[in-house]
Amino acid sequence: MRTFTTLATAAALFGILQFAGSAQTGGSVRRVQAQAIDELRTWDRYIDEHERAKDLRRRSTDHDPLLPAQTIERFQQFYRGVPVWGADIVRVSDMGSAISIFGALAPDLNLDVDAALSETEGEQALLQMGGPEAKALTRVELVVVQLDGGDYRLAYSAVISAGNAVNRIFVDANTGSELRRVSEIQTDAAVATGLGVLGDTKKLSVSREAGMYFADDQLRPPALRTYDMRGSLTHAVNILNGAALFPGDRASDIDDRWNDPIAVDAQAQIGLTYDYYYKRFGRRGLDNRDRPITALINAVTAQGALSLSLNDLGQFAVQAFWCGSCGPNQTGLMYFGNGIPPQNVFTSAVPDLSGQTVGPLAGSLDVIAHELTHGVISSTPGLLNSGEPGALDEAFADMMGTSVEFFYQPRGDGLRQADYLMGEDSFRGVTTTRNGIRSLQNPQAYTQGGAPSPDHYLRRYTGSGDSGGRHINAGIPGNAFYLAIEGGTNRTSGLSTQGVGPSNREQIEKVFYRAFTFLLPQNASFSTARAATIQAARDLYGPGSAPERAVTQAWTAVGVN
């Protein structure tokens, strides 16, 4: 499944949007939010017993550099030896004692796990659902999957690529019929200098080889490379679908004064985002183990975008995305579109961008950080790409995009200044005063799919479009993040939050980072995110601290209880 985690809702361009105490069973999911002592004892025993029975299997053991003495274990749920898709539980322990447990598990199931179809037949069915020229980007797995209606089925699953589409598809393991599909596209040592898209001078880490300079970072631990498609959309699509990248594909220049502002911004700002994660959280890149970081640029020129179909325009020209299953060996990559010529302005036929023009996406630091954050989330915890988990993923990418801006840029409302808008350096109002595509401060000032983005849980979108509202509902947790820092009043509830203040924003950044990267299960709800961030505030700053109060009040203000 090529999941493009996108910054904007590209579909909008063509008119679619797309027990013990704290255990609750709702929507056929058993949610665990254990923080009190009695609950922790009960769920601690549950994990140990079910790990021995192999109904829970340890997937990873981590240590947060912010609290290295604590151990964070993530367990995958299995049913009769078959993994349950998106069902896991996270246990945090200090000196061997559990201090928080969060999870989203399937309730008691009654399924036959003997598939009528063989794995080969399952793969054939998946490829048939993918359409012409479909191929599997990942191995075929037998899993138990929850359907949108809440029921569970035995299914074969794989990431299937066909043309410009990359989806994780699930087919019934007995009949071969399609059960579910989710897009995998989640819509940033020599030192060179160059002018960025906005005319500012940047330094970028490059390599020097045979008299040429290449966008290949030699100063940071991971392989961090920007590849120039040189106007070939076909080449870019082939790479997304797993074709090889060659050294000659790297962005390059004949000397250390680079002339392509898009290459300058992409290479420099991806490096800055890596540095932010390391300096703020002690994190080493996407997976905390310095996994390679790859970006594609210049697949379509701004002028060439005007000749694209509406679908390709939305995906490859005015969009940036992360695709965790794309690229050679499916190691994941980021893509940044070049926008459209500045004299071209979107009309009311495209409501979300009406009155705006779109410049190169690599020119916005928050866009770069947003997409790289999707790579972080895809590594841990791997939030599901739809519904509330998808909206949390999108919201956290917005939070970190904003945070990276404030880390490097002065506060203000102009170009190259830090604010609570997303993509404002690329999406510029011409016949409208609106810049950017989303706001953490005032989500309702922007639209997703032509409708105002909600700032409160009671206003949340509950339809099937936009993968269950992953972009539409991102403003709800985004506004909680804003309120926890800045304080103020939610426009819908009228409830106020006493934030920690801009001078203490680092506290809230660390709280949300710890909760979202270490504590959340894959199928987290907004309620689980509330509990996890409150727990993270206690872990980091103590019970009754100003960050705990601010986070608690902020979630209450946006209606998440």
Side-chain angles (χ1 to χ4, degrees), residues 194-524:
L195 294 180
V197 170
L198 300 177
D200 55 324
T201 299
K202 288 186 171 73
K203 291 183 178 180
L204 55 155
S205 178
V206 298
S207 64
R208 186 180 183 187
E209 303 170 25
M212 290 284 290
Y213 292 79
F214 294 91
D216 189 345
D217 194 319
Q218 300 295 298
L219 300 180
R220 295 176 177 88
L224 193 166
R225 301 184 178 106
T226 299
Y227 291 87
D228 190 342
M229 300 294 96
R230 298 177 174 85
S232 175
L233 180 56
T234 299
H235 187 36
V237 170
N238 287 339
I239 291 168
L240 292 173
N241 290 334
L245 279 163
F246 298 101
D249 288 329
R250 290 171 297 173
S252 61
D253 202 281
I254 60 173
D255 57 30
D256 61 358
R257 181 69 181 178
W258 280 47
N259 295 315
D260 181 358
I262 295 169
V264 168
D265 275 342
Q267 185 73 1
Q269 296 190 148
I270 292 171
L272 290 176
T273 303
Y274 176 92
D275 292 347
Y276 165 81
Y277 268 99
Y278 183 73
K279 292 175 181 178
R280 184 67 98 204
F281 311 120
R283 187 181 185 90
R284 304 183 70 92
L286 299 174
D287 60 352
N288 210 17
R289 296 171 179 82
D290 284 326
R291 170 182 167 186
I293 301 175
T294 302
L296 303 187
I297 60 169
N298 291 334
V300 183
T301 66
Q303 190 63 41
L306 301 180
S307 301
L308 294 176
S309 68
L310 201 54
N311 182 49
D312 284 346
L313 173 72
Q315 184 160 301
F316 293 107
V318 297
Q319 186 62 276
F321 59 75
W322 160 264
C323 182
S325 300
C326 292
N329 302 315
Q330 291 75 54
T331 56
L333 53 78
M334 292 177 286
Y335 173 91
F336 301 100
N338 282 7
I340 59 177
Q343 65 271 23
N344 292 83
V345 179
F346 282 103
T347 68
S348 58
V350 185
D352 295 351
L353 301 181
S354 179
Q356 291 183 319
T357 192
V358 183
L361 277 295
S364 287
L365 177 59
D366 58 356
V367 171
I368 297 275
H370 177 104
E371 300 310 335
L372 192 146
T373 297
H374 280 311
V376 169
I377 288 295
S378 74
S379 298
T380 49
L383 289 168
L384 301 185
N385 295 325
S386 61
E388 291 192 15
L392 289 170
D393 185 350
E394 204 65 34
F396 184 62
D398 284 354
M399 296 172 198
M400 293 296 99
T402 294
S403 298
V404 172
E405 275 195 350
F406 277 100
F407 193 79
Y408 290 109
Q409 298 175 343
R411 186 178 185 127
D413 56 7
L415 293 172
R416 301 195 309 276
Q417 293 182 325
D419 54 28
Y420 288 95
L421 300 177
M422 287 305 303
E424 72 282 358
D425 286 348
S426 297
F427 296 82
R428 303 297 297 174
V430 178
T431 61
T432 176
T433 58
R434 187 186 67 227
N435 297 319
I437 59 168
R438 279 195 295 277
S439 169
L440 284 72
Q441 180 177 359
N442 182 14
Q444 294 185 96
Y446 289 76
T447 64
Q448 301 284 304
S453 180
D455 68 349
H456 193 275
Y457 196 68
L458 291 179
R459 296 179 180 269
R460 73 191 184 281
Y461 173 78
T462 59
S464 60
D466 183 33
S467 297
R470 77 169 282 132
H471 294 92
I472 298 172
N473 291 329
I476 299 171
N479 191 234
F481 177 78
Y482 165 82
L483 291 171
I485 296 172
E486 302 286 345
T489 302
N490 177 269
R491 288 170 169 79
T492 295
S493 69
L495 296 177
S496 296
T497 298
Q498 184 181 351
V500 297
S503 62
N504 295 314
R505 70 171 51 258
E506 178 180 348
Q507 296 175 340
I508 302 303
E509 291 174 14
K510 287 181 175 179
V511 164
F512 276 77
Y513 167 80
R514 175 173 170 79
F516 274 65
T517 58
F518 290 112
L519 305 187
L520 291 185
Q522 288 183 296
N523 195 17

Side-chain angles (χ1 to χ4, degrees), residues 78-122:
F78 280 72
Y79 174 71
R80 297 183 181 178
V82 178
V84 183
W85 188 259
D88 62 353
I89 193 166
V90 183
R91 177 171 63 186
V92 181
S93 303
D94 193 337
M95 302 294 292
S97 298
I99 60 174
S100 68
I101 298 174
F102 299 100
L105 303 174
D108 293 337
L109 299 174
N110 184 19
L111 291 175
D112 184 353
V113 296
D114 293 323
L117 300 181
S118 67
E119 183 176 308
T120 299
E121 291 170 327

